[in-house]
Amino acid sequence: MVLGGVALPDDQDRTPDPALAERILARCAEVEPRLAGVRVLRHE
């Protein structure tokens, strides 16, 4: 399952941002509570 993604103006860095990833997952879990506490396999 793919959750979220962002595009920031003038930012070409493709390195995952752990803090942003946590915020995306938290917002997704608000919509679908079964996502709370899931194991993240990778960030791309």
Side-chain angles (χ1 to χ4, degrees):
M1 176 179 298
V2 176
L3 303 176
V6 295
L8 302 172
D10 300 321
D11 186 356
Q12 300 299 318
D13 184 7
R14 294 183 52 134
T15 305
D17 178 342
L20 180 56
E22 284 292 323
R23 291 195 309 266
I24 290 171
L25 183 54
R27 287 193 308 260
C28 290
E30 288 176 9
V31 175
E32 177 48 73
R34 293 179 293 178
L35 292 173
V38 297
R39 181 172 56 111
V40 176
L41 300 178
R42 70 177 188 240
H43 296 274
E44 292 185 15

